[in-house]
Amino acid sequence: LGVAHKAAKVAREIKEAQPDLGIDDVDILCVQIAGLVHDLGHGPFSHQFETFLKRLAKSLPESDPMKKQLDGWRHEDNSVRMFRYLLEENKIDVSLPRKSSRKAPALALTETDLIFIEEAIMGTKAPDRKGRPPEKHFLYEIVNNIESGLDVDKLDYLQRDMDRALGRKDATFERLSLAARVCSVPANPAAQDSRDWKNLSLSQQPAGLSEEGAEEVRMVLCYPEKQAGEAMEVFGHRNSMHDKVYQHRKVLAMDEMVTDALLFAFEIKIGVSDQQGNCLKSTSIAEAALDPAAFTSLDDSVLDLIRCSTLNTPGMRRA
């Protein structure tokens, strides 16, 4: 929710400050949805679930069809799968105009809009993007910035984690995120000509990309030079959180214990139910990672399932 809120806020701020960019309400809605669903694909214990699947894949024989699927599993790709599953399972037709609030206009999405949302989630590289034209590629950088790493997702989780883990409520990053503006820069910095791009004011820079210039410049999110220190502070805070929390030796030890438990008990079955609570099937943890319906039943309580299991196998006993 926090990422969705921040993403829409940044997009609206840029729209008001730079109306010539042509940002419309559908663009803002797509960016907001991408922020809302970008982590739907996280399994139990977040990124550690990916570590478990990759280690499991290495232990499987080459003949096992799941080996390649599990080894290449990424939560971003799974977020896209879960997003599509959510729409299909709940029979949501995005082509029908809907109002998000009383004052908001009724908006409908196209298949191209859905592709844009999915590409924004996955961090699709510029040459492969189909959801938005090059002059709007800056929109991809709001939620998942593969260029600089400075995006609202990072700002949101850092603010939350610093508050909850360290009790720090002063790091809001609000001023920095709302200062973002769109500038055109050389598509290939190494081949830039004699023009001094750094010294061009925003009004002097091209507002969009012509067919002739599409190969020469690209539109990216930039920040005022006076806030370079604030931008560096974000990465300083991130480094500090890795030292004090994410990569703390006790946290890493717990991560390894959880991963070992999942590896030993990877064949344990979890029940898959429909919306009425009727049990449809049972599947293993690894199979659930590849099945959207089963994945909805997979959460941190899998450890309780392992703990209470009556299976008396060597792996379950060790788990």
Side-chain angles (χ1 to χ4, degrees):
L1 290 175
V3 178
H5 171 73
K6 286 182 171 63
K9 198 169 182 179
V10 169
R12 290 193 191 101
E13 181 72 19
I14 296 173
K15 177 185 178 182
E16 293 177 8
Q18 297 175 271
D20 54 318
L21 293 173
I23 300 174
D24 56 36
D25 291 334
V26 172
D27 290 330
I28 295 174
L29 178 60
C30 288
V31 169
Q32 187 171 25
I33 293 173
L36 182 65
V37 304
H38 77 287
D39 273 345
L40 281 181
H42 269 306
F45 308 101
S46 192
H47 292 282
Q48 202 60 27
F49 188 69
E50 292 181 63
T51 301
F52 151 66
L53 291 178
K54 290 186 183 301
R55 291 186 185 176
L56 176 61
K58 289 182 180 179
S59 69
L60 297 176
E62 292 294 334
S63 58
D64 195 317
M66 290 181 62
K67 182 179 181 70
K68 187 175 180 180
Q69 290 177 287
L70 296 180
D71 189 46
W73 195 94
R74 297 193 318 148
H75 81 270
E76 294 91 349
D77 299 330
N78 197 46
S79 292
V80 170
R81 280 194 294 270
M82 294 307 297
F83 175 52
R84 287 285 184 172
Y85 173 76
L86 182 152
L87 296 178
E88 294 169 7
E89 182 70 8
N90 295 281
K91 298 179 174 59
I92 299 174
D93 186 354
V94 297
S95 65
L96 298 177
R98 286 183 172 83
K99 295 173 70 71
S100 57
S101 66
R102 290 181 182 178
K103 297 181 180 180
L107 300 175
L109 302 183
T110 65
E111 182 62 25
T112 301
D113 293 325
L114 293 181
I115 291 173
F116 168 44
I117 293 170
E118 294 169 359
E119 291 175 338
I121 293 170
M122 293 188 293
T124 303
K125 294 182 178 179
D128 302 321
R129 292 170 182 168
K130 297 179 175 62
R132 286 296 183 271
E135 60 266 26
K136 285 192 174 182
H137 276 186
F138 60 87
L139 292 170
Y140 288 86
E141 300 174 12
I142 296 177
V143 173
N144 183 4
N145 193 334
I146 62 173
E147 296 290 334
S148 69
L150 195 59
D151 50 50
V152 293
D153 178 29
K154 184 176 276 82
L155 299 181
D156 180 72
Y157 80 68
L158 279 177
Q159 179 180 341
R160 180 181 59 254
D161 292 354
M162 290 174 68
D163 179 12
R164 300 302 172 86
L166 305 179
R168 290 194 55 180
K169 300 182 182 296
D170 57 318
T172 63
F173 311 117
E174 187 83 3
R175 182 169 174 265
L176 177 64
S177 62
L178 295 182
R181 293 295 180 267
V182 178
C183 298
S184 56
V185 300
N188 182 6
Q192 74 183 66
D193 56 24
S194 59
R195 288 175 294 180
D196 188 354
W197 288 84
K198 291 183 180 180
N199 292 332
L200 285 178
S201 68
L202 193 61
S203 61
Q204 292 174 304
Q205 294 178 6
L209 297 180
S210 64
E211 291 184 5
E212 297 80 12
E215 299 270 333
E216 299 176 3
V217 298
R218 56 196 177 95
M219 309 298 282
V220 299
L221 286 188
C222 298
Y223 297 86
E225 187 174 0
K226 65 181 181 181
Q227 289 181 284
E230 289 183 52
M232 294 302 295
E233 281 182 9
V234 172
F235 294 99
H237 288 314
R238 181 175 180 270
N239 184 66
S240 176
M241 286 298 293
H242 273 276
D243 285 341
K244 297 177 180 178
V245 182
Y246 307 143
Q247 301 294 322
H248 190 279
R249 64 181 185 280
K250 292 183 179 179
V251 172
L252 295 180
M254 290 297 295
D255 284 345
E256 288 300 312
M257 292 170 67
V258 168
T259 301
D260 286 345
L262 294 176
L263 286 170
F264 288 131
F266 80 95
E267 291 183 329
I268 193 172
K269 300 295 183 180
I270 61 171
V272 181
S273 304
D274 59 20
Q275 294 182 352
Q276 287 71 44
N278 302 312
C279 186
L280 301 177
K281 60 181 177 180
S282 60
T283 180
S284 71
I285 300 173
E287 291 168 338
L290 305 173
D291 180 351
F295 192 80
T296 60
S297 301
L298 198 57
D299 56 31
D300 290 1
S301 66
V302 66
L303 287 189
D304 294 327
L305 192 64
I306 294 172
R307 186 182 300 111
C308 299
S309 174
T310 57
L311 289 177
N312 191 25
T313 62
M316 286 302 299
R317 286 197 295 271
R318 293 193 68 180

